[in-house]
Amino acid sequence: MKRFIKTFLIVMLAQAGLNAQTGAVPVDTIFNNFYRATGGKALWDAVQTYTIKQAYRAGTANDYDLVIQGALPQQALSKIRTIMKRDFIYGIKGADGWVKIPIGSRDKVTQFQTSDLSEKERENMRRELGDLLAPFSNYTQKGYIATVVGTEQINGKPAYQVEMEGKGVKYNLYFDVATSLLVREKLTLPTREVQTRDHTQYAKSTYGISYPSESTYVSSIDKKPVKVTTIMEFNPTISDNTFAR
């Protein structure tokens, strides 16, 4: 009995120490430290448009390229997913949302069949419009609740874990204690799929913001690690045709 009580007290003291450590760092401080480490909050707040070019490589026939363009003032987002030289185009602008599926043979001029996105698909893309920059940007305005829940070892280094929930999704975000950089993000979707991205390298854009340029992506559905390389451009000029249905 004494041994049980002693063990229980040790566990409780350790938990109290962890709570004191994480509780001493407000969630907004962790986010602000990230902004400071990646170029400064002023630069992030001035972003109106962006382009993201990504290559997803796992050495399979399902490898694909992704080009994403977003315009915050227009509430518009375009995603072009290229698989085996075929473009699948997803778009939203305001309340409208559509998908363009390539039809016909590859040796002819590509034609597309356009159909409406479901309300859930449109809602997901509206969430992505802001979250693709940084999930926690203006998080209270987007309806998220963020809490520091502890520290974990990520690749042998301590990281603050922030849980952020809202809009039917949940993020678990891990910020390296020493560098303040986001090193892991886990997104739990309403379908219960968990998407994990481990960011292994950052690059600095010409605009001045640093972003994850090399990552490993894993979905809980297929569980196969995918290497992702990313190039981001902030405040580029985007043609209106980009968001044309």
Side-chain angles (χ1 to χ4, degrees), residues 11-188:
V11 171
M12 292 299 295
L13 287 172
Q15 184 64 47
L18 177 60
N19 290 339
Q21 179 186 13
T22 57
V25 183
V27 66
D28 287 338
T29 297
I30 294 174
F31 294 160
N32 287 331
N33 286 343
F34 169 85
Y35 291 131
R36 190 177 300 112
T38 54
K41 189 69 162 55
L43 284 180
W44 282 95
D45 288 344
V47 174
Q48 298 294 299
T49 62
Y50 61 84
T51 297
I52 303 173
K53 297 180 180 179
Q54 294 182 311
Y56 287 73
R57 298 291 183 266
T60 71
N62 294 324
D63 289 352
Y64 65 94
D65 295 315
L66 186 63
V67 176
I68 303 171
Q69 292 182 286
L72 299 176
Q74 290 79 26
Q75 286 296 287
L77 183 69
S78 170
K79 299 170 67 176
I80 302 177
R81 180 169 174 163
T82 303
I83 305 175
M84 300 180 68
K85 300 182 180 180
R86 305 273 282 181
D87 292 340
F88 297 77
I89 304 172
Y90 302 80
I92 59 164
K93 188 174 183 180
D96 196 12
W98 59 89
V99 56
K100 298 180 179 181
I101 305 296
I103 57 177
S105 59
R106 298 183 189 176
D107 58 348
K108 296 181 180 179
V109 176
T110 302
Q111 295 182 329
F112 292 92
Q113 177 179 303
T114 303
S115 58
D116 291 333
L117 290 175
S118 68
E119 176 52 37
K120 286 186 177 180
E121 290 170 321
R122 294 197 299 271
E123 182 180 345
N124 185 58
M125 286 192 68
R126 286 193 289 267
R127 174 187 61 78
E128 288 182 317
L129 176 62
D131 288 4
L132 286 170
L133 279 175
F136 45 87
S137 63
N138 302 316
Y139 70 95
T140 55
Q141 297 177 23
K142 294 189 292 188
Y144 287 120
I145 297 175
T147 308
V148 183
V149 297
T151 57
E152 285 196 23
Q153 295 290 315
I154 305 296
N155 296 324
K157 298 179 180 179
Y160 295 117
Q161 180 189 170
V162 175
E163 184 174 281
M164 197 170 69
E165 192 164 4
K167 288 189 174 183
V169 301
K170 182 175 72 172
Y171 286 95
N172 289 92
L173 307 170
Y174 301 81
F175 297 83
D176 184 272
V177 171
T179 66
S180 298
L181 296 177
L182 180 64
V183 292
R184 174 177 293 172
E185 49 185 310
K186 295 174 66 175
L187 170 61
T188 303

